[in-house]
Amino acid sequence: RVNSQSGKGGITFLLEQEYGISLPRRLQIEFSQVVQSETDRLGLELSALQIHQLLDREYLQLKSPYQLVGHRLQEENGTSAVDLQVQTDEGAEHWQGIGKGPLEALVASLPIRVEIMDYHEHSIGSGTNARAAAYIELRLQGQRPLHGIGIDENITTASFRALFSALNRALRIADSQAA
């Protein structure tokens, strides 16, 4: 269990031991602030399950304003082309981008300029049941960097989900600051 004084070490340990999620250092710091805010709000300790649910709500379930519905990736001679189906608050959209790799192609397809600051990935589990976890730190122009998390059986899809997670979080914060 973790309370508001436990810090990022306890949070990181519980997520890794119980769920196989190994947060990069700067994401540990960012998420510990989310956990501390929740423990202060509730005045309670959080269990590993509650911490995982908070991580899920804050990073994995954020689907607005952009949700990745599907993608097709084509790679040839060091160039990646991505074709995305995206659900926006206005409806279904189709985005395309080209880059030196899948993430660069995805960034090129976005209607908003972003800069990827950091990227990490690892497997959760092993063998044929393994899933990929991807962590992206990105920055919108004029904002502090924020993280996103993506988990999927496919590492490219996990990476794309992580980017959408970070983008949606950054846009949510930008909207709240503008209000």
Side-chain angles (χ1 to χ4, degrees):
R1 299 183 76 76
V2 170
N3 63 29
S4 66
Q5 304 305 311
S6 297
K8 56 196 162 297
I11 294 163
T12 302
F13 177 80
L14 288 174
L15 286 172
E16 195 159 343
Q17 292 300 307
E18 297 292 323
Y19 299 98
I21 295 173
S22 181
L23 302 178
R25 179 75 175 136
R26 287 196 303 264
L27 179 51
Q28 291 174 22
I29 295 165
E30 181 182 291
F31 184 56
S32 71
Q33 294 168 353
V34 173
V35 172
Q36 183 171 2
S37 175
E38 185 73 359
T39 57
D40 287 345
R41 184 181 73 78
L42 296 172
L44 301 170
E45 293 181 333
L46 297 180
S47 66
L49 174 62
Q50 290 168 312
I51 291 168
H52 186 264
Q53 290 170 336
L54 187 58
L55 181 93
D56 187 64
R57 187 171 66 238
E58 180 70 22
Y59 294 92
L60 299 170
Q61 296 304 317
L62 200 55
K63 308 286 188 208
S64 179
Y66 302 116
Q67 179 180 354
L68 177 65
V69 176
H71 72 274
R72 185 174 39 214
L73 176 65
Q74 206 170 350
E75 296 180 300
E76 189 175 329
N77 298 325
T79 300
S80 297
V82 67
D83 187 1
L84 302 156
Q85 296 83 43
V86 178
Q87 183 66 40
T88 72
D89 291 343
E90 285 78 44
E93 294 186 8
H94 186 80
W95 299 350
Q96 294 178 320
I98 296 174
K100 293 180 205 149
L103 282 175
E104 187 175 298
L106 174 57
V107 168
S109 78
L110 297 175
I112 298 167
R113 284 182 43 108
V114 302
E115 179 184 3
I116 295 177
M117 308 300 292
D118 200 14
Y119 175 84
H120 293 270
E121 64 184 46
H122 67 83
S123 66
I124 299 174
S126 61
T128 58
N129 294 326
R131 294 180 303 149
Y135 309 94
I136 287 183
E137 182 180 24
L138 70 73
R139 177 181 10 227
L140 292 179
Q141 193 167 6
Q143 279 195 337
R144 67 181 170 88
L146 286 171
H147 289 86
I149 302 173
I151 296 175
D152 196 87
E153 290 78 19
N154 179 293
I155 187 58
T156 301
T157 303
S159 300
F160 286 8
R161 291 187 192 284
L163 191 136
F164 275 83
S165 167
L167 178 61
N168 287 333
R169 292 184 73 244
L171 291 171
R172 180 182 66 187
I173 289 171
D175 285 348
S176 71
Q177 290 173 345

